[in-house]
Amino acid sequence: LQTAYTLMLKQKYCDANGELLPEYPTFNQFKYFYRKTKSMQTYYISRDGLKSYQRNNRPLTGDGVQQFAPNVGVGMLDATICDIYLVGRPVLTTCIDAYSSLCCGYSLTWEGGMYSLRNLMINVVIDKVEWCEKHGIIINKSEWNNSQLSGVLVTDMGSEYKSENFEQLVELGVTITNLPPYRLELKGSVEKFFDLVQGYYKKHLKGKGVINPDFREKGSHDYRKDACLTIRDFERVILRCIIFYNSKRIIENFPYT
């Protein structure tokens, strides 16, 4: 701000010889004008760009998830790269009921895209007791009582969600809603699911490939060397996390109606 003040004096309050005019604003006056007229939107956009502003600094307005999910039956779809090294880093794709936060199904694959989405849709509608039994996990039906496809699916603008294959679900009577870009707060249920599930397994898999936030920094530990699980081993872990998430987690301040 001091540099901007000096440059302003040179441009606006100096004569042809570069001498200051008798009357010019003080630095405190300049600082007061700056604070009174500055726009935080312009400030963040000029420093970090429009995309960063929309993703990180844009004010949140509206009711968020509630405007899309007034009742049960609105599924929110998304995918994330898991914070763990196996042979590579697996991709977890999931469908979360926005109203109740129930995990309706998941897909764990090496790559995202259409095949991962296909596996997810199959997993949503199959019997979960039989599915868990295939992975050596015995559950009661009440612990994961879902084998129906949501009537409304809310997605972001990912290419796989706009493909012709995915749009065939419309023929089954499913309504597909595409959210605008950088509106993470509108699908907060599925974003929070990823945060919770990864938090469940990280503390138990330390030293087995789990990635810490410093993995991009120079000189940090090479977590790829810690990898010792197969994707089938990790899927059992994810399944147990989902079962705990669905049947044991307490939702505080839930808006009962």
Side-chain angles (χ1 to χ4, degrees):
L1 201 61
Q2 185 74 49
T3 303
Y5 172 69
T6 303
L7 294 174
M8 182 201 68
L9 292 182
K10 288 181 178 179
Q11 184 175 1
K12 301 285 187 181
Y13 294 94
C14 288
D15 56 22
N17 297 323
E19 298 292 334
L20 270 175
L21 298 176
E23 294 183 358
Y24 59 89
T26 65
F27 177 70
N28 286 335
Q29 289 174 318
F30 179 72
K31 185 164 63 173
Y32 171 79
F33 174 79
Y34 166 74
R35 289 180 175 174
K36 183 178 178 181
T37 60
K38 77 170 181 177
S39 165
M40 293 307 297
Q41 178 180 358
T42 305
Y43 171 78
Y44 285 122
I45 291 175
S46 62
R47 287 180 66 92
D48 304 317
L50 180 60
K51 286 185 178 180
S52 176
Y53 169 77
Q54 290 178 327
R55 186 166 57 243
N56 301 319
N57 304 107
R58 173 179 48 79
L60 304 182
T61 57
D63 296 328
V65 172
Q66 280 68 34
Q67 62 183 293
F68 288 99
N71 46 44
V72 174
V74 179
M76 291 194 164
L77 279 62
D78 204 0
T80 189
I81 300 174
C82 297
D83 291 340
I84 188 171
Y85 277 109
L86 307 178
V87 175
R89 290 181 62 181
V91 176
L92 177 63
T93 309
T94 190
C95 176
I96 301 295
D97 183 76
Y99 186 79
S100 64
S101 296
L102 176 78
C103 176
C104 302
Y106 78 99
S107 171
L108 189 68
T109 55
W110 289 119
E111 294 183 2
M114 198 60 238
Y115 291 106
S116 175
L117 199 55
R118 182 198 63 182
N119 292 342
L120 170 64
M121 293 294 100
I122 293 173
N123 187 262
V124 167
V125 298
I126 64 174
D127 184 272
K128 301 303 190 297
V129 176
E130 294 180 5
W131 176 256
C132 290
E133 193 173 346
K134 288 180 181 178
H135 291 81
I137 300 173
I138 307 300
I139 65 170
N140 298 319
K141 191 172 182 63
S142 60
E143 293 181 89
W144 197 353
N145 189 9
N146 177 80
S147 58
Q148 296 175 325
L149 189 63
S150 302
V152 179
L153 296 178
V154 181
T155 71
D156 54 22
M157 299 295 284
S159 58
E160 64 269 26
Y161 302 119
K162 297 187 290 182
S163 66
E164 293 181 3
N165 293 330
F166 187 65
E167 289 177 354
Q168 289 176 1
L169 292 173
V170 176
E171 299 173 8
L172 302 176
V174 176
T175 301
I176 298 176
T177 302
N178 286 319
L179 297 177
Y182 308 116
R183 297 303 301 271
L184 299 181
E185 79 279 4
L186 296 182
K187 52 188 181 76
S189 299
V190 66
E191 298 290 349
K192 189 61 181 176
F193 168 81
F194 289 138
D195 180 46
L196 290 172
V197 165
Q198 300 215 83
Y200 292 154
Y201 71 72
K202 278 185 175 180
K203 56 188 175 184
H204 299 291
L205 297 181
K206 264 186 183 176
K208 293 181 171 62
V210 166
I211 297 170
N212 290 328
D214 66 344
F215 80 103
R216 292 184 182 275
E217 297 178 6
K218 285 186 177 180
S220 63
H221 179 68
D222 188 353
Y223 297 101
R224 293 173 295 182
K225 296 179 179 178
D226 297 336
C228 61
L229 300 176
T230 65
I231 195 165
R232 185 170 175 80
D233 295 333
F234 184 60
E235 187 163 5
R236 290 197 195 99
V237 174
I238 288 292
L239 262 174
R240 292 190 182 277
C241 291
I242 292 175
I243 293 166
F244 178 85
Y245 170 88
N246 279 342
S247 60
K248 305 295 183 184
R249 184 176 63 100
I250 304 298
I251 303 177
E252 297 180 358
N253 303 319
F254 186 80
Y256 294 106
T257 62

